Amino acid sequence: MKAAFFSRHGGPEVMTYGDLPAPEVKPGEVLVQIKAAAMNRVDKWVRDGWPGLKLDLPHIPGSDGAGVVMETADELGGFRSGDRVVINTNLGCGACEFCVAGQDNLCRDWRLIGETIRGTNAEFFAVPARQLVHLPEGFSFENAAAAALVFQTAWHSLIARGQLRAGETVLIVGAGGGVNTAAIQIARLAGCTVYVVGSDERKLALAESLGAAVLIDRSKEDWGRKVYQLTNKRGVDVVVDNVGAATLMTSLRSARKGGRILTVGNTSGPKFEMDNRYMFGKHLSLIGSTMSTRAEFATVMGLVFAGKLKPVIDSTFPLKDIRAAHEHMERGEVTGKIVLTVNSD
Ligand SMILES: [Zn+2]
């Protein structure tokens, strides 16, 4: 099959488009012919490599994908050949105490598809049937792939962990990324007033179009001070901070007493120094999570299929142009998702 892969770690130049053997379909798995995949920052981190990362090379990246069922054993899990599906990248073992309790994102042997195991940037992908959700008629593979990882991540963080309530104020730090464009819409749908801190006018205009009510341009003003002023020195109920090192301390300052700070990632780096007086003095909760449960994935994708939540697509590349797609991601001007098209007729 055709696939995008790398045989050694490095920059975008290590990405190759070529032939690899199609995956073996194990019991319980369904073979999916991929039609669209979407890129995530993890694609770059895995390609760059990190100390201790052990991969079977060549490695095929890709956490998001949607396509058509090719082969199943006995209509596994209600899936039949020809069904249109989207893949849930959050892969639990299915057997540990957490998976059995339906908390598969807490799995003892948790995997992200495309990270430590081969991913979706290929013509075919074999996946346990429980990872699939049917696509409704007319819903595009591109939009499904673009939505899958980021909407489940933002949903679990804001709704399950963050317990957003109607009427609350929610500050989202960063405007253009896939998870934040999802978070703005989810907070709005939950009945919250959304504040967004962005780095330029283009990203803030996008945030506004997605439902943000208050826009703060951090290239022009001190955003921590601005939040303080705008909330009459109270602070916001909830801060969504997936930027990390560069912003977390200001996020702690921007939350009201008793506020929550939600985080699912750290695009500016993983480590930050914290003034603990803010944590206890303001009764703050710092709440982390990653991905979602399977039940939440089905719920949030249902809202995406219904048009209540919309993935933002930055650009589309054919899979054969994988190197150009990685170069585009590296340039950092991306708003929303980069989609790769595969097997497009
Ligand atoms: Zn498990």
Side-chain angles (χ1 to χ4, degrees), residues 193-254:
T193 301
V194 181
Y195 292 55
V196 170
V197 175
S199 57
D200 63 54
E201 281 174 14
R202 191 173 59 106
K203 287 177 183 170
L204 287 169
L206 171 65
E208 187 172 31
S209 74
L210 298 174
V214 181
L215 308 171
I216 303 168
D217 188 338
R218 69 172 166 81
S219 71
K220 292 185 179 149
E221 51 197 341
D222 175 338
W223 61 272
R225 185 187 300 269
K226 187 73 183 175
V227 171
Y228 189 66
Q229 288 167 352
L230 287 169
T231 58
N232 198 22
K233 305 178 186 176
R234 173 189 183 268
V236 293
D237 297 303
V238 176
V239 184
V240 175
D241 187 338
N242 305 315
V243 180
T247 56
L248 242 154
M249 200 53 231
T250 309
S251 291
L252 299 187
R253 287 196 198 100
S254 300

Short mmCIF file of all heavy atoms in Angstrom, two decimals, residues 193-254:
data_model
loop_
_atom_site.label_atom_id
_atom_site.label_comp_id
_atom_site.label_asym_id
_atom_site.label_seq_id
_atom_site.Cartn_x
_atom_site.Cartn_y
_atom_site.Cartn_z
N THR A 193 -19.78 32.60 28.38
CA THR A 193 -19.24 33.77 27.67
C THR A 193 -17.76 33.51 27.46
O THR A 193 -17.03 33.26 28.43
CB THR A 193 -19.44 35.04 28.51
OG1 THR A 193 -20.85 35.20 28.74
CG2 THR A 193 -18.90 36.26 27.79
N VAL A 194 -17.33 33.53 26.19
CA VAL A 194 -15.97 33.11 25.87
C VAL A 194 -15.06 34.32 25.62
O VAL A 194 -15.36 35.17 24.78
CB VAL A 194 -15.97 32.20 24.62
CG1 VAL A 194 -14.55 31.74 24.29
CG2 VAL A 194 -16.88 30.99 24.85
N TYR A 195 -13.97 34.36 26.37
CA TYR A 195 -12.89 35.32 26.15
C TYR A 195 -11.77 34.57 25.43
O TYR A 195 -11.47 33.43 25.80
CB TYR A 195 -12.30 35.80 27.48
CG TYR A 195 -13.18 36.66 28.36
CD1 TYR A 195 -14.45 36.25 28.76
CD2 TYR A 195 -12.70 37.88 28.85
CE1 TYR A 195 -15.23 37.03 29.59
CE2 TYR A 195 -13.47 38.68 29.69
CZ TYR A 195 -14.74 38.25 30.06
OH TYR A 195 -15.50 39.03 30.89
N VAL A 196 -11.16 35.22 24.44
CA VAL A 196 -10.04 34.57 23.76
C VAL A 196 -8.83 35.51 23.73
O VAL A 196 -8.97 36.69 23.41
CB VAL A 196 -10.42 34.15 22.31
CG1 VAL A 196 -9.20 33.71 21.52
CG2 VAL A 196 -11.45 33.02 22.35
N VAL A 197 -7.67 34.96 24.08
CA VAL A 197 -6.40 35.67 23.93
C VAL A 197 -5.72 35.14 22.68
O VAL A 197 -5.49 33.93 22.59
CB VAL A 197 -5.47 35.42 25.14
CG1 VAL A 197 -4.12 36.08 24.91
CG2 VAL A 197 -6.10 35.92 26.42
N GLY A 198 -5.44 36.00 21.72
CA GLY A 198 -4.80 35.56 20.48
C GLY A 198 -3.61 36.41 20.13
O GLY A 198 -3.42 37.50 20.70
N SER A 199 -2.80 35.92 19.19
CA SER A 199 -1.54 36.60 18.88
C SER A 199 -1.65 37.54 17.69
O SER A 199 -0.76 38.32 17.43
CB SER A 199 -0.45 35.57 18.62
OG SER A 199 -0.86 34.70 17.58
N ASP A 200 -2.75 37.45 16.91
CA ASP A 200 -2.90 38.38 15.80
C ASP A 200 -4.37 38.52 15.41
O ASP A 200 -5.22 37.75 15.85
CB ASP A 200 -2.03 37.97 14.60
CG ASP A 200 -2.43 36.63 14.03
OD1 ASP A 200 -3.61 36.43 13.70
OD2 ASP A 200 -1.54 35.76 13.93
N GLU A 201 -4.64 39.51 14.57
CA GLU A 201 -6.02 39.85 14.21
C GLU A 201 -6.74 38.74 13.45
O GLU A 201 -7.93 38.52 13.62
CB GLU A 201 -6.04 41.13 13.36
CG GLU A 201 -5.88 42.39 14.21
CD GLU A 201 -5.74 43.65 13.39
OE1 GLU A 201 -6.03 43.61 12.17
OE2 GLU A 201 -5.31 44.67 13.96
N ARG A 202 -5.97 38.04 12.60
CA ARG A 202 -6.57 36.99 11.78
C ARG A 202 -7.12 35.86 12.68
O ARG A 202 -8.25 35.40 12.51
CB ARG A 202 -5.51 36.44 10.83
CG ARG A 202 -6.03 35.53 9.74
CD ARG A 202 -4.90 35.18 8.76
NE ARG A 202 -3.79 34.53 9.44
CZ ARG A 202 -3.51 33.24 9.35
NH1 ARG A 202 -4.26 32.45 8.62
NH2 ARG A 202 -2.47 32.71 9.99
N LYS A 203 -6.32 35.46 13.66
CA LYS A 203 -6.75 34.38 14.56
C LYS A 203 -7.91 34.84 15.44
O LYS A 203 -8.82 34.07 15.74
CB LYS A 203 -5.58 33.89 15.41
CG LYS A 203 -4.58 33.07 14.60
CD LYS A 203 -3.37 32.66 15.43
CE LYS A 203 -2.37 31.91 14.57
NZ LYS A 203 -1.10 31.70 15.27
N LEU A 204 -7.86 36.10 15.85
CA LEU A 204 -8.95 36.62 16.69
C LEU A 204 -10.25 36.75 15.90
O LEU A 204 -11.33 36.49 16.42
CB LEU A 204 -8.55 37.97 17.31
CG LEU A 204 -7.51 37.83 18.44
CD1 LEU A 204 -6.95 39.20 18.82
CD2 LEU A 204 -8.10 37.14 19.67
N ALA A 205 -10.13 37.09 14.62
CA ALA A 205 -11.34 37.16 13.77
C ALA A 205 -11.96 35.77 13.64
O ALA A 205 -13.18 35.61 13.67
CB ALA A 205 -10.97 37.73 12.40
N LEU A 206 -11.10 34.76 13.51
CA LEU A 206 -11.60 33.38 13.46
C LEU A 206 -12.31 33.03 14.76
O LEU A 206 -13.42 32.48 14.76
CB LEU A 206 -10.43 32.42 13.21
CG LEU A 206 -10.75 30.92 13.33
CD1 LEU A 206 -11.74 30.48 12.24
CD2 LEU A 206 -9.46 30.07 13.23
N ALA A 207 -11.68 33.39 15.90
CA ALA A 207 -12.28 33.09 17.22
C ALA A 207 -13.65 33.75 17.35
O ALA A 207 -14.60 33.16 17.84
CB ALA A 207 -11.35 33.57 18.33
N GLU A 208 -13.75 34.98 16.85
CA GLU A 208 -15.02 35.70 16.92
C GLU A 208 -16.09 34.98 16.08
O GLU A 208 -17.22 34.81 16.51
CB GLU A 208 -14.84 37.14 16.43
CG GLU A 208 -16.08 37.99 16.63
CD GLU A 208 -15.82 39.47 16.33
OE1 GLU A 208 -14.97 39.76 15.46
OE2 GLU A 208 -16.46 40.32 16.97
N SER A 209 -15.68 34.52 14.90
CA SER A 209 -16.64 33.83 14.03
C SER A 209 -17.11 32.51 14.65
O SER A 209 -18.18 32.01 14.32
CB SER A 209 -16.02 33.58 12.64
OG SER A 209 -15.07 32.53 12.71
N LEU A 210 -16.31 31.97 15.56
CA LEU A 210 -16.68 30.70 16.22
C LEU A 210 -17.51 30.94 17.49
O LEU A 210 -17.93 29.97 18.13
CB LEU A 210 -15.42 29.90 16.56
CG LEU A 210 -14.56 29.46 15.37
CD1 LEU A 210 -13.27 28.80 15.86
CD2 LEU A 210 -15.32 28.52 14.45
N GLY A 211 -17.66 32.20 17.89
CA GLY A 211 -18.54 32.48 19.03
C GLY A 211 -17.89 33.18 20.20
O GLY A 211 -18.54 33.40 21.23
N ALA A 212 -16.60 33.56 20.08
CA ALA A 212 -15.95 34.29 21.17
C ALA A 212 -16.57 35.68 21.30
O ALA A 212 -16.80 36.35 20.30
CB ALA A 212 -14.45 34.40 20.92
N ALA A 213 -16.83 36.10 22.55
CA ALA A 213 -17.48 37.41 22.78
C ALA A 213 -16.47 38.50 23.07
O ALA A 213 -16.71 39.66 22.76
CB ALA A 213 -18.46 37.28 23.96
N VAL A 214 -15.34 38.14 23.68
CA VAL A 214 -14.34 39.14 24.08
C VAL A 214 -12.99 38.72 23.48
O VAL A 214 -12.54 37.59 23.69
CB VAL A 214 -14.22 39.22 25.62
CG1 VAL A 214 -13.19 40.27 26.02
CG2 VAL A 214 -15.58 39.51 26.26
N LEU A 215 -12.38 39.62 22.72
CA LEU A 215 -11.12 39.31 22.03
C LEU A 215 -10.00 40.15 22.61
O LEU A 215 -10.14 41.36 22.75
CB LEU A 215 -11.26 39.60 20.54
CG LEU A 215 -12.48 38.96 19.86
CD1 LEU A 215 -12.62 39.50 18.43
CD2 LEU A 215 -12.37 37.45 19.84
N ILE A 216 -8.88 39.51 22.96
CA ILE A 216 -7.74 40.22 23.51
C ILE A 216 -6.51 39.89 22.66
O ILE A 216 -6.16 38.72 22.49
CB ILE A 216 -7.48 39.80 24.99
CG1 ILE A 216 -8.74 40.06 25.83
CG2 ILE A 216 -6.27 40.54 25.55
CD1 ILE A 216 -8.70 39.43 27.21
N ASP A 217 -5.88 40.93 22.10
CA ASP A 217 -4.72 40.74 21.25
C ASP A 217 -3.46 40.87 22.11
O ASP A 217 -3.11 41.97 22.53
CB ASP A 217 -4.74 41.79 20.13
CG ASP A 217 -3.66 41.54 19.08
OD1 ASP A 217 -2.67 40.85 19.40
OD2 ASP A 217 -3.82 42.04 17.96
N ARG A 218 -2.79 39.75 22.35
CA ARG A 218 -1.64 39.78 23.26
C ARG A 218 -0.42 40.43 22.62
O ARG A 218 0.55 40.75 23.33
CB ARG A 218 -1.30 38.38 23.78
CG ARG A 218 -0.75 37.41 22.78
CD ARG A 218 -0.28 36.13 23.48
NE ARG A 218 -0.04 35.03 22.56
CZ ARG A 218 1.07 34.90 21.84
NH1 ARG A 218 2.05 35.77 21.97
NH2 ARG A 218 1.20 33.88 21.02
N SER A 219 -0.47 40.67 21.31
CA SER A 219 0.64 41.40 20.67
C SER A 219 0.53 42.90 20.97
O SER A 219 1.47 43.65 20.78
CB SER A 219 0.66 41.15 19.16
OG SER A 219 -0.43 41.80 18.52
N LYS A 220 -0.65 43.33 21.44
CA LYS A 220 -0.88 44.76 21.66
C LYS A 220 -1.05 45.13 23.13
O LYS A 220 -0.88 46.28 23.50
CB LYS A 220 -2.12 45.23 20.90
CG LYS A 220 -1.92 45.19 19.39
CD LYS A 220 -3.10 45.77 18.65
CE LYS A 220 -2.86 45.75 17.16
NZ LYS A 220 -4.12 45.59 16.43
N GLU A 221 -1.45 44.17 23.95
CA GLU A 221 -1.67 44.52 25.36
C GLU A 221 -1.34 43.35 26.29
O GLU A 221 -1.28 42.20 25.87
CB GLU A 221 -3.11 45.01 25.59
CG GLU A 221 -4.18 44.10 25.05
CD GLU A 221 -5.53 44.80 24.94
OE1 GLU A 221 -5.72 45.84 25.59
OE2 GLU A 221 -6.39 44.30 24.20
N ASP A 222 -1.11 43.69 27.56
CA ASP A 222 -0.84 42.71 28.61
C ASP A 222 -2.16 41.99 28.90
O ASP A 222 -3.08 42.56 29.48
CB ASP A 222 -0.33 43.47 29.84
CG ASP A 222 -0.12 42.56 31.05
OD1 ASP A 222 -0.72 41.47 31.12
OD2 ASP A 222 0.64 42.98 31.94
N TRP A 223 -2.25 40.74 28.46
CA TRP A 223 -3.57 40.09 28.49
C TRP A 223 -4.04 39.78 29.91
O TRP A 223 -5.24 39.81 30.19
CB TRP A 223 -3.62 38.87 27.58
CG TRP A 223 -2.68 37.73 27.88
CD1 TRP A 223 -1.40 37.60 27.40
CD2 TRP A 223 -2.94 36.56 28.66
NE1 TRP A 223 -0.85 36.43 27.84
CE2 TRP A 223 -1.78 35.76 28.61
CE3 TRP A 223 -4.04 36.11 29.38
CZ2 TRP A 223 -1.69 34.53 29.27
CZ3 TRP A 223 -3.95 34.87 30.03
CH2 TRP A 223 -2.78 34.11 29.98
N GLY A 224 -3.09 39.52 30.83
CA GLY A 224 -3.48 39.26 32.22
C GLY A 224 -4.15 40.49 32.84
O GLY A 224 -5.20 40.42 33.47
N ARG A 225 -3.52 41.65 32.57
CA ARG A 225 -4.07 42.91 33.09
C ARG A 225 -5.43 43.20 32.46
O ARG A 225 -6.36 43.65 33.12
CB ARG A 225 -3.08 44.04 32.76
CG ARG A 225 -3.47 45.39 33.35
CD ARG A 225 -2.52 46.48 32.83
NE ARG A 225 -1.14 46.20 33.19
CZ ARG A 225 -0.55 46.63 34.31
NH1 ARG A 225 -1.23 47.37 35.16
NH2 ARG A 225 0.70 46.34 34.56
N LYS A 226 -5.54 42.91 31.16
CA LYS A 226 -6.78 43.18 30.43
C LYS A 226 -7.95 42.34 30.99
O LYS A 226 -9.06 42.85 31.18
CB LYS A 226 -6.57 42.87 28.94
CG LYS A 226 -7.71 43.26 28.05
CD LYS A 226 -7.77 44.77 27.87
CE LYS A 226 -8.96 45.19 27.03
NZ LYS A 226 -9.08 46.64 26.96
N VAL A 227 -7.67 41.08 31.30
CA VAL A 227 -8.72 40.21 31.86
C VAL A 227 -9.15 40.75 33.22
O VAL A 227 -10.34 40.82 33.55
CB VAL A 227 -8.21 38.75 32.00
CG1 VAL A 227 -9.21 37.89 32.78
CG2 VAL A 227 -7.96 38.14 30.63
N TYR A 228 -8.18 41.18 34.00
CA TYR A 228 -8.43 41.76 35.32
C TYR A 228 -9.36 42.97 35.21
O TYR A 228 -10.36 43.09 35.93
CB TYR A 228 -7.07 42.14 35.90
CG TYR A 228 -7.04 42.56 37.34
CD1 TYR A 228 -7.34 41.65 38.37
CD2 TYR A 228 -6.65 43.86 37.70
CE1 TYR A 228 -7.27 42.04 39.69
CE2 TYR A 228 -6.58 44.25 39.02
CZ TYR A 228 -6.90 43.34 40.02
OH TYR A 228 -6.83 43.72 41.34
N GLN A 229 -9.06 43.84 34.22
CA GLN A 229 -9.89 45.04 34.02
C GLN A 229 -11.29 44.68 33.52
O GLN A 229 -12.29 45.17 34.03
CB GLN A 229 -9.24 45.97 32.97
CG GLN A 229 -8.00 46.67 33.48
CD GLN A 229 -7.21 47.32 32.33
OE1 GLN A 229 -7.51 47.11 31.15
NE2 GLN A 229 -6.18 48.08 32.68
N LEU A 230 -11.33 43.80 32.52
CA LEU A 230 -12.61 43.47 31.88
C LEU A 230 -13.58 42.77 32.84
O LEU A 230 -14.79 42.82 32.67
CB LEU A 230 -12.38 42.56 30.66
CG LEU A 230 -11.77 43.24 29.43
CD1 LEU A 230 -11.36 42.18 28.40
CD2 LEU A 230 -12.77 44.20 28.81
N THR A 231 -13.03 42.08 33.86
CA THR A 231 -13.89 41.35 34.80
C THR A 231 -14.06 42.13 36.10
O THR A 231 -14.45 41.55 37.12
CB THR A 231 -13.31 39.95 35.10
OG1 THR A 231 -11.99 40.12 35.65
CG2 THR A 231 -13.24 39.09 33.86
N ASN A 232 -13.74 43.42 36.06
CA ASN A 232 -13.87 44.26 37.25
C ASN A 232 -13.08 43.68 38.43
O ASN A 232 -13.58 43.57 39.55
CB ASN A 232 -15.36 44.45 37.60
CG ASN A 232 -15.59 45.62 38.53
OD1 ASN A 232 -14.76 46.53 38.62
ND2 ASN A 232 -16.70 45.59 39.26
N LYS A 233 -11.84 43.26 38.15
CA LYS A 233 -10.88 42.71 39.13
C LYS A 233 -11.31 41.36 39.71
O LYS A 233 -10.79 40.93 40.73
CB LYS A 233 -10.63 43.70 40.28
CG LYS A 233 -10.17 45.07 39.81
CD LYS A 233 -9.98 46.00 40.99
CE LYS A 233 -9.67 47.42 40.53
NZ LYS A 233 -9.59 48.35 41.65
N ARG A 234 -12.30 40.73 39.11
CA ARG A 234 -12.78 39.45 39.63
C ARG A 234 -12.00 38.26 39.07
O ARG A 234 -11.68 37.31 39.77
CB ARG A 234 -14.27 39.30 39.27
CG ARG A 234 -14.87 37.93 39.61
CD ARG A 234 -16.27 37.84 39.02
NE ARG A 234 -16.96 36.61 39.33
CZ ARG A 234 -16.95 35.51 38.58
NH1 ARG A 234 -16.23 35.47 37.48
NH2 ARG A 234 -17.65 34.45 38.94
N GLY A 235 -11.72 38.30 37.76
CA GLY A 235 -11.15 37.14 37.08
C GLY A 235 -12.25 36.28 36.48
O GLY A 235 -13.43 36.45 36.80
N VAL A 236 -11.86 35.36 35.60
CA VAL A 236 -12.84 34.51 34.92
C VAL A 236 -13.05 33.22 35.73
O VAL A 236 -12.22 32.84 36.56
CB VAL A 236 -12.39 34.15 33.49
CG1 VAL A 236 -12.38 35.38 32.60
CG2 VAL A 236 -11.02 33.46 33.50
N ASP A 237 -14.17 32.55 35.46
CA ASP A 237 -14.47 31.30 36.17
C ASP A 237 -13.50 30.17 35.77
O ASP A 237 -13.07 29.39 36.61
CB ASP A 237 -15.91 30.85 35.87
CG ASP A 237 -16.93 31.86 36.37
OD1 ASP A 237 -16.92 32.16 37.57
OD2 ASP A 237 -17.73 32.37 35.54
N VAL A 238 -13.23 30.13 34.48
CA VAL A 238 -12.43 29.01 33.94
C VAL A 238 -11.41 29.55 32.95
O VAL A 238 -11.73 30.42 32.14
CB VAL A 238 -13.35 27.99 33.21
CG1 VAL A 238 -12.54 26.88 32.55
CG2 VAL A 238 -14.38 27.41 34.18
N VAL A 239 -10.17 29.04 33.03
CA VAL A 239 -9.16 29.34 32.02
C VAL A 239 -8.78 28.04 31.32
O VAL A 239 -8.51 27.04 31.98
CB VAL A 239 -7.88 29.96 32.64
CG1 VAL A 239 -6.89 30.35 31.53
CG2 VAL A 239 -8.22 31.18 33.49
N VAL A 240 -8.80 28.05 29.99
CA VAL A 240 -8.36 26.90 29.19
C VAL A 240 -6.98 27.25 28.67
O VAL A 240 -6.83 28.15 27.84
CB VAL A 240 -9.34 26.65 28.02
CG1 VAL A 240 -8.83 25.54 27.11
CG2 VAL A 240 -10.74 26.34 28.56
N ASP A 241 -5.95 26.59 29.19
CA ASP A 241 -4.57 26.91 28.82
C ASP A 241 -3.87 25.67 28.30
O ASP A 241 -3.45 24.81 29.09
CB ASP A 241 -3.81 27.50 30.02
CG ASP A 241 -2.43 28.01 29.61
OD1 ASP A 241 -1.91 27.55 28.57
OD2 ASP A 241 -1.87 28.86 30.33
N ASN A 242 -3.73 25.58 26.98
CA ASN A 242 -3.00 24.48 26.36
C ASN A 242 -1.68 24.96 25.77
O ASN A 242 -1.11 24.33 24.90
CB ASN A 242 -3.88 23.82 25.29
CG ASN A 242 -5.21 23.38 25.88
OD1 ASN A 242 -5.24 22.81 26.97
ND2 ASN A 242 -6.31 23.68 25.21
N VAL A 243 -1.23 26.11 26.28
CA VAL A 243 0.03 26.69 25.79
C VAL A 243 1.17 26.32 26.74
O VAL A 243 2.24 25.92 26.32
CB VAL A 243 -0.11 28.23 25.65
CG1 VAL A 243 1.20 28.83 25.15
CG2 VAL A 243 -1.25 28.58 24.71
N GLY A 244 0.91 26.43 28.06
CA GLY A 244 1.86 25.90 29.03
C GLY A 244 2.90 26.88 29.52
O GLY A 244 2.56 27.92 30.09
N ALA A 245 4.16 26.56 29.28
CA ALA A 245 5.27 27.27 29.90
C ALA A 245 5.14 28.79 29.82
O ALA A 245 5.37 29.50 30.80
CB ALA A 245 6.57 26.83 29.25
N ALA A 246 4.75 29.31 28.64
CA ALA A 246 4.77 30.75 28.43
C ALA A 246 3.59 31.45 29.10
O ALA A 246 3.63 32.67 29.29
CB ALA A 246 4.77 31.05 26.92
N THR A 247 2.54 30.73 29.44
CA THR A 247 1.29 31.40 29.81
C THR A 247 0.68 30.97 31.14
O THR A 247 -0.18 31.68 31.68
CB THR A 247 0.22 31.13 28.73
OG1 THR A 247 0.10 29.71 28.58
CG2 THR A 247 0.58 31.76 27.41
N LEU A 248 1.09 29.84 31.69
CA LEU A 248 0.33 29.28 32.81
C LEU A 248 0.28 30.18 34.04
O LEU A 248 -0.74 30.28 34.71
CB LEU A 248 0.84 27.88 33.17
CG LEU A 248 -0.27 26.84 32.98
CD1 LEU A 248 0.31 25.46 32.70
CD2 LEU A 248 -1.21 26.75 34.15
N MET A 249 1.38 30.88 34.29
CA MET A 249 1.38 31.76 35.46
C MET A 249 0.36 32.90 35.28
O MET A 249 -0.36 33.25 36.24
CB MET A 249 2.80 32.31 35.68
CG MET A 249 3.07 32.83 37.07
SD MET A 249 2.67 31.67 38.40
CE MET A 249 1.68 32.74 39.42
N THR A 250 0.27 33.45 34.08
CA THR A 250 -0.73 34.50 33.82
C THR A 250 -2.14 33.90 33.88
O THR A 250 -3.08 34.58 34.32
CB THR A 250 -0.47 35.17 32.45
OG1 THR A 250 0.89 35.56 32.41
CG2 THR A 250 -1.35 36.39 32.26
N SER A 251 -2.28 32.66 33.48
CA SER A 251 -3.59 32.00 33.58
C SER A 251 -4.03 31.88 35.04
O SER A 251 -5.20 32.09 35.35
CB SER A 251 -3.53 30.62 32.93
OG SER A 251 -3.38 30.75 31.53
N LEU A 252 -3.10 31.54 35.92
CA LEU A 252 -3.43 31.46 37.36
C LEU A 252 -3.90 32.82 37.87
O LEU A 252 -4.84 32.92 38.66
CB LEU A 252 -2.23 30.99 38.19
CG LEU A 252 -1.62 29.62 37.91
CD1 LEU A 252 -0.56 29.29 38.96
CD2 LEU A 252 -2.66 28.52 37.87
N ARG A 253 -3.25 33.88 37.38
CA ARG A 253 -3.63 35.24 37.80
C ARG A 253 -5.00 35.64 37.25
O ARG A 253 -5.71 36.42 37.87
CB ARG A 253 -2.61 36.26 37.29
CG ARG A 253 -1.29 36.23 38.02
CD ARG A 253 -0.50 37.52 37.73
NE ARG A 253 0.88 37.32 38.06
CZ ARG A 253 1.84 37.05 37.19
NH1 ARG A 253 1.58 37.00 35.89
NH2 ARG A 253 3.07 36.86 37.57
N SER A 254 -5.35 35.09 36.07
CA SER A 254 -6.58 35.52 35.39
C SER A 254 -7.83 34.83 35.92
O SER A 254 -8.95 35.26 35.61
CB SER A 254 -6.47 35.25 33.88
OG SER A 254 -5.38 35.96 33.35
#
